[in-house]
Amino acid sequence: MIELDGIYKSFYRKEALRDVSFSVKEGEIFGLLGPNGAGKSTLIRIINKIVEQDKGYVSFRGKNLTQESLKDIGYLPEERGLYKTMTVEEHGIFLARLRGLTRSDAKMNLQKWLEKFQIEDWSKKRIEELSKGMAQKVQFICTVLHEPSFMVLDEPFSGFDPINVALIRAELSEMKREGKTVILSTHDMKSVEEICDSAVMLNKGEKVLEGKISEIREQSKEGKFAIQFQGNMIAFANALWTGYEILDKEVLTDDRFLVTLKMRGENTFNDLLQTLLPHIRIESAWEVLPSMQDVFIKEVTKEKEN
Amino acid sequence: MNKSVLIAVRECKERIKARSFLLMAILGPLLVLGLVFILFAVGGSQKKHISVLVMDPYEILEGKIMPKEDPSVSYDIINDYVDFEPFANQNEYQKYDLGIEINEQVVKNKTVKVLYREKPNSKTEIKLRLHIERRLEEIMVKEFTTLSVQKFRAVKQPINFKFFDTYDPKEEEDNLAGWAGFFFGAIIILFIFLFGMTILRGVSQEKSNRIIEVLLASASPKQLLIGKVFGIGITALFQFLIWIVVIGVGLFFLRETLFPDVFDPSNISFQQMSKEVARLTQSRLELNARDYNDFVELVYSSIRFENMLPFFLLFFVGGYVFYGSFFSAIGSSIGSESDGQQFIIPILFLLVLSLFSGYYAIYFPSNGLTTVFSYLPFTSPVVMLVKLGQGFSANQSWHIYLSLLTLLLAALFMFWIAGKIYSNGILQFGHRLRVKHLFKWLKKP
């Protein structure tokens, strides 16, 4: 759908992006991750042709990204902004027409979205009359009003209450079902795990991770395992002896425990199970994959330590 | 539809719907009318009755002046010439407030000399102009043309009245026409300031509420800037149109209340006119008494409005784009809405300078500095309108075209500069604007 190849961007002496390349496949929700100041906003602005890259190439549907491509792109910026004195209807129609829709199509689509979000009675309200959350909803509608097949959403959940977060998430899932492509820039790693198919992570203007979410978590695993068992905790610890390191212990009932541990040396998961089976009754055991939150923190702190 | 047009239409709608637009459309013309009222009703001699000695050694006026029955002016006509000193000092002339000299050249040079003891107020001045000019028109029609008075008035050149203080007889320029031009120039500057500030506020608000990011993802900075400047410019012209209508209607009522005697047909003595002229004049008065001699046309009789208005529009557009570019460049560069106040001061200074230059041009129309001002894009919108008011001779008309061309080219150049600063500065937030930023953004491709 969209491919970025060797993107460089500097603002005077400060390098904002250095040799960033990745591609987003059609129909996937793609996470754009990174700490503040990593270069995400600059990258998003390049994708939306708000700023031009110094070097590199952006292709959209196999062709060079042009102003014309923007008709098929929806953009929800992190810093929301609407004209306060315009009504919801005027605003929606104005932005949709800027994206190439006719007035009647814009009006029809707006009506459809207002009905979908059950806010038809807002259409004649001025933006300044809306609460922050309401204005966020309007901004989201304005982003998708021209029915783009590709969307760039920068922190789409911020400012929403949990009900509206669920609403937007459901919308994203539906878009995915419809085969639309979304770049999602967010710090909400739980959402990334739940909705994104793939992600790229930037830090200090450089790409540090890329791939499918499951692959990224797999790549970052540290040999941690969790065992839930019934039996004696001392017997458990004695059985493991020096081959394993207990990281965490949770007492579930008097004789039931959940322990997280890490292998030492060449031990495998099977070795662990064989060692424990004579001493305790294993209820469940699994390899602990790092959450995206862990991956994020690890990558960012790793960079800092270096 | 073109994106710039969409943006311009939005700008227009937003500005016109704003309460301040309506307020300005009402208060602005009222203020102007108030000033006109003050200008004509107050100032100068407040004498209720004026005695005028008309010196007509060549008997051009044939011993007659139309409105004998005007209770506020009485004329005595002598077939002799009285110089400044005797008029000032000799007892026999002390009863006259004014002396009007009609010399043999009047038909050729269209100039009438007026001696005064105390400067007459504008209302009296207008009356004198009307009375003398009308009588001279009749003479000229009778002597030199086969035209009707009505037709002659449409094609004639206005008569210049040169005023002299009889106690200190330095020549005073007939500045009325220049002031009329200045009035138009001042309107341009006022509108440039008001709507320039609108551009600045509009751009900086879009920047601070971050909608600019959504807009830039739909349209290029150039399209945005063109749309904004064009849209606000149309709003300004619309506002001006309202002013013209309100001022026009206001002047009509002002004429009715402030100068009823001048326009009252009963004040014109038809017995004193030649039969032909009397018939024509009477029939015209009867046909359309109200339309007869529009007040504005009378006051600014030497201005050709059919020339003034198109040039007003062109200089307005040029000046607005030129100065508007400064305002938009600053609006797009500032880090926050409160930032950038110090950058408005130099623009204000330039606008005040342009007003001063217009004032200067009224009193020193041929001065070298006036020539410089008339080609400087900062000052030409006012100076050239003053000069237009004063009148150009046929072989000098290239001055105005050259000045206009210079202004329009400078406006385009400034707009290009503003476009560069706008493109590079509009997405910079949170900084404190310095001059070096402007240069930095200007250098960027």
Side-chain angles (χ1 to χ4, degrees), chain B residues 15-242:
Chain B
R15 310 294 161 204
I16 289 168
K17 272 198 284 184
R19 224 172 281 160
S20 57
F21 183 88
L22 188 67
L23 207 66
M24 194 176 150
I26 297 166
L27 289 183
L30 286 182
L31 199 71
V32 172
L33 285 169
L35 285 174
V36 170
F37 184 84
I38 290 167
L39 186 71
F40 289 105
V42 200
S45 170
Q46 294 300 312
K47 285 185 105 172
K48 291 232 167 6
H49 183 268
I50 303 279
S51 296
V52 182
L53 178 68
V54 179
M55 297 164 256
D56 183 16
Y58 295 89
E59 298 186 42
I60 291 169
L61 300 179
E62 299 170 352
K64 287 183 252 175
I65 291 178
M66 279 193 284
K68 278 282 184 191
E69 291 159 27
D70 190 324
S72 60
V73 189
S74 58
Y75 295 97
D76 282 337
I77 302 174
I78 56 167
N79 301 334
D80 199 1
Y81 174 70
V82 182
D83 209 345
F84 294 109
E85 221 215 305
F87 187 79
N89 302 321
Q90 284 181 17
N91 279 340
E92 56 186 304
Y93 302 119
Q94 293 305 311
K95 61 178 176 179
Y96 298 111
D97 300 296
L98 292 161
I100 296 179
E101 183 196 312
I102 312 286
N103 65 33
E104 79 278 19
Q105 295 295 317
V106 70
V107 177
K108 276 190 200 160
N109 64 17
K110 312 277 187 307
T111 300
V112 169
K113 209 155 108 183
V114 182
L115 284 63
Y116 64 82
R117 293 182 198 285
E118 194 182 349
K119 178 101 171 146
N121 65 24
S122 300
K123 191 174 165 181
T124 310
E125 200 181 310
I126 289 163
K127 264 184 205 175
L128 294 176
R129 281 169 183 269
L130 181 85
H131 297 165
I132 303 293
E133 198 164 348
R134 289 288 173 265
R135 181 68 189 131
L136 283 169
E137 279 166 5
E138 287 171 25
I139 304 295
M140 287 177 198
V141 167
K142 204 168 91 182
E143 295 289 325
F144 305 106
T145 77
T146 53
L147 296 170
S148 66
V149 176
Q150 196 176 345
K151 276 192 181 156
F152 177 74
R153 274 178 194 148
V155 296
K156 69 166 177 109
Q157 275 188 308
I159 290 176
N160 292 320
F161 285 72
K162 292 201 168 182
F163 286 78
F164 296 86
D165 185 342
T166 189
Y167 301 107
D168 183 16
K170 286 178 292 193
E171 186 180 321
E172 287 178 23
E173 285 294 327
D174 179 17
N175 292 327
L176 206 55
W179 277 109
F182 181 80
F183 170 77
F184 279 94
I187 292 255
I188 289 182
I189 294 303
L190 177 71
F191 273 60
I192 284 175
F193 173 67
L194 291 175
F195 287 90
M197 286 302 288
T198 308
I199 295 178
L200 186 141
R201 271 199 308 273
V203 172
S204 65
Q205 273 168 7
E206 278 173 359
K207 188 173 173 170
S208 63
N209 80 9
R210 306 296 167 107
I211 190 162
I212 190 68
E213 195 138 352
V214 180
L215 296 176
L216 283 172
S218 307
S220 68
K222 208 199 290 172
Q223 286 171 321
L224 276 181
L225 187 62
I226 290 173
K228 184 163 274 296
V229 172
F230 183 66
I232 294 176
I234 294 286
T235 316
L237 278 177
F238 183 52
Q239 175 79 248
F240 176 71
L241 197 72
I242 296 174

Side-chain angles (χ1 to χ4, degrees), chain A residues 188-203:
Chain A
D188 179 4
M189 293 301 141
K190 200 163 168 281
S191 298
V192 174
E193 276 173 31
E194 286 173 10
I195 20 179
C196 290
D197 302 297
S198 310
V200 66
M201 188 167 173
L202 303 180
N203 195 18

Side-chain angles (χ1 to χ4, degrees), chain A residues 12 45 75 81 83 90, chain B residues 17 206 209 213 218 427 441:
Chain A
Y12 308 104
R45 284 176 180 169
Y75 174 42
Y83 289 114
E90 286 169 346
Chain B
K17 272 198 284 184
E206 278 173 359
N209 80 9
E213 195 138 352
S218 307
L427 286 173
W441 294 331

Side-chain angles (χ1 to χ4, degrees), chain A residues 12 45 48 50-51 70 75 77 79-83 85-86 90-91 94-95 97-99 139, chain B residues 1 3 6-7 10 13-14 17 206 209-211 213-218 427 429 440-441 444:
Chain A
Y12 308 104
R45 284 176 180 169
N48 282 288
I50 295 171
V51 294
L70 295 175
Y75 174 42
E79 302 261 11
R80 315 283 197 262
L82 296 166
Y83 289 114
T85 53
M86 286 178 99
E90 286 169 346
H91 219 302
F94 170 65
L95 290 179
R97 292 190 76 195
L98 274 183
R99 294 275 183 158
Q139 185 113 40
Chain B
M1 202 194 286
K3 289 176 182 175
L6 277 174
I7 291 158
R10 196 207 75 80
K13 277 188 188 167
E14 177 162 327
K17 272 198 284 184
E206 278 173 359
N209 80 9
R210 306 296 167 107
I211 190 162
E213 195 138 352
V214 180
L215 296 176
L216 283 172
S218 307
L427 286 173
F429 304 101
K440 202 157 71 173
W441 294 331
K444 268 193 87 182

